[in-house]
Amino acid sequence: MRPEAASRTASATPLTTALVELTRLGTGQNREQLAMLRDRLAGTRLRVAVVGEATRGKSTLINALLGQAVLPAGETPLTTVVTTVRHGQDPHAQVRFLDGHGERHPPGALAGLVTEAGNPGNHRRIASVTVYAEAAVLAAGAELVDTPGTGSVLAPGDGETIGQVLDTMDAAVVVLAADPPVSAGERDLLGRIAGRPVATFVVLNKADHLDAAGLARVTEFTRQVVTDTVSRTGQPAGPGLYPMSASAALEAGDPGFTAFAADFTAYLATRRAADLAQSAIAQARRIALTLLAEATAARRAGRSRATETAARAEQFSARLAAAAKGTRDGVPVVNGESARLLFALNDAADTDVPRLRRSVASRLDVMLDG
């Protein structure tokens, strides 16, 4: 046995075997999702989705976790394309386009690829961007996913995009803001995430926009909203709520961010592998159920078409039988009518022949006399 074959055999598990089988059954997007999942399992790499409404500071928070300004960030809605940051010793951006082809770009080109200013309305038709960078949090086994903000006037299709991100994530960081406080849309997004078996961290960013008393009130209000939302899904409460300023953390440090980063790093060290396996099982089950539903629908449609075709064939056969019977019944009538017409023609011939003979003879006499 070749060494690489032995390695594959040794690393095979019931989960990876099931994913391979699902890949053979799936098509299109399912196969791509399963390929990504198998790749993450092979590298024990947790896909962490950073989600929230526009202008809450998601890109800034990711930069703070990376310890460097990798992603474009600002006060207006910026991110319009899903951007994944992964560990790599060769910093660059790998761009995948909607038509399937890919391109390599330097990290400095990101602003022209994933922002509304550089790529308005995604006129470049980019499907996704993967950025490779050196950072401790990435080396610890996380890949961070920056998402377009929900509710942005610049991203009318963000609901579908966020749904696709939630279907492929293994953990989540929900970014809220102290000013303005949590909205109904953010509460609904938190509920969608809490209903999935993934670890969820909730960050209350822009804490520096309020004074101490105001921040205390908003923190308590947000904590209550988060607790009530999660409890309705039947899931246990998450690690907690982290008031912070991500921009301050990136520039000079922030105690709230420091607490969040410490808990997040500890989570990666202790629960990454187990949660990745649990997430993979949940995703595989969801894809399998989708494929089963599609197969069941196709089978029912096939049966319906077969029943309809059989009914039409039966109706056609009945019409053919009726036509054949009409033909058999019509033969004596046609034969009788033909005989009657022939008899009438014979009678007419017997009457007209002497008359026509006399007429022809008279005309010949005139012509010969002339």
Side-chain angles (χ1 to χ4, degrees):
M1 180 181 295
R2 291 183 176 182
E4 60 269 22
S7 176
R8 286 195 300 267
T9 303
S11 62
T13 66
L15 176 57
T16 57
T17 301
L19 293 177
V20 170
E21 293 298 325
L22 279 177
T23 302
R24 293 171 180 167
L25 295 173
T27 58
Q29 185 176 341
N30 287 333
R31 287 188 175 181
E32 181 179 354
Q33 182 177 342
L34 288 165
M36 292 170 55
L37 189 54
R38 291 164 58 192
D39 181 58
R40 294 202 304 277
L41 284 169
T44 321
R45 192 177 65 254
L46 204 71
R47 184 171 175 84
V48 183
V50 181
V51 299
E53 287 193 347
T55 72
R56 292 305 191 257
K58 298 182 295 298
S59 301
T60 304
L61 176 64
I62 292 177
N63 286 339
L65 282 171
L66 297 173
Q68 54 186 312
V70 173
L71 302 176
E75 294 302 320
T76 58
L78 278 181
T79 304
T80 57
V81 176
V82 174
T83 307
T84 302
V85 186
R86 292 176 56 174
H87 183 257
Q89 297 179 350
D90 176 20
H92 70 280
Q94 191 66 35
V95 183
R96 185 170 64 87
F97 291 82
L98 292 173
D99 63 6
H101 87 280
E103 294 178 1
R104 178 189 171 105
H105 290 263
L110 273 178
L113 300 170
V114 303
T115 69
E116 180 60 25
N119 183 20
N122 193 18
H123 73 276
R124 301 186 67 170
R125 298 187 58 77
I126 295 175
S128 64
V129 174
T130 302
V131 182
Y132 294 87
E134 283 273 20
V137 70
L138 304 177
E143 64 177 39
L144 305 176
V145 185
D146 193 16
T147 60
T150 60
S152 171
V153 296
L154 302 178
D158 59 9
E160 180 180 356
T161 300
I162 293 300
Q164 293 171 354
V165 171
L166 298 187
D167 284 343
T168 61
M169 71 179 181
D170 307 314
V173 177
V174 180
V175 182
L176 308 176
D179 182 25
V182 59
S183 68
E186 290 171 319
R187 180 193 60 199
D188 294 342
L189 176 61
L190 183 62
R192 291 175 64 186
I193 295 172
R196 297 169 182 263
V198 297
T200 304
F201 295 81
V202 182
V203 166
L204 186 63
N205 195 25
K206 303 187 178 183
D208 53 341
H209 289 197
L210 302 175
D211 58 23
L215 178 60
R217 288 192 296 270
V218 170
T219 300
E220 182 56 32
F221 170 74
T222 305
R223 181 176 286 109
Q224 189 61 51
V225 171
V226 171
T227 300
D228 292 346
T229 302
V230 173
S231 64
R232 282 197 292 270
T233 67
Q235 298 292 333
L241 180 67
Y242 300 90
M244 70 171 69
S245 169
S247 59
L250 188 59
E251 295 172 2
D254 179 86
F257 172 79
T258 300
F260 162 70
D263 288 350
F264 185 69
T265 302
Y267 164 74
L268 292 176
T270 58
R271 291 178 49 189
R272 183 179 84 255
D275 280 10
L276 176 59
Q278 181 179 355
S279 175
I281 292 170
Q283 292 182 46
R285 181 183 294 114
R286 183 166 58 249
I287 293 173
L289 290 175
T290 299
L291 293 175
L292 177 61
E294 292 174 354
T296 301
R299 185 179 182 185
R300 288 176 178 172
R303 286 179 175 176
S304 176
R305 287 193 295 269
T307 302
E308 181 181 354
T309 302
R312 289 182 178 179
E314 185 176 349
Q315 292 175 1
F316 185 66
S317 297
R319 289 178 182 176
L320 282 178
K325 182 177 184 301
T327 301
R328 290 193 301 272
D329 294 343
V331 168
V333 176
V334 171
N335 289 340
E337 186 65 16
S338 298
R340 186 186 67 77
L341 289 174
L342 182 60
F343 185 77
L345 286 172
N346 288 334
D347 284 348
D350 291 343
T351 303
D352 287 342
V353 165
R355 178 179 60 79
L356 291 173
R357 187 182 292 118
R358 289 192 298 270
S359 176
V360 170
S362 174
R363 288 176 180 272
L364 286 173
D365 290 341
V366 171
M367 291 175 64
L368 292 174
D369 287 345

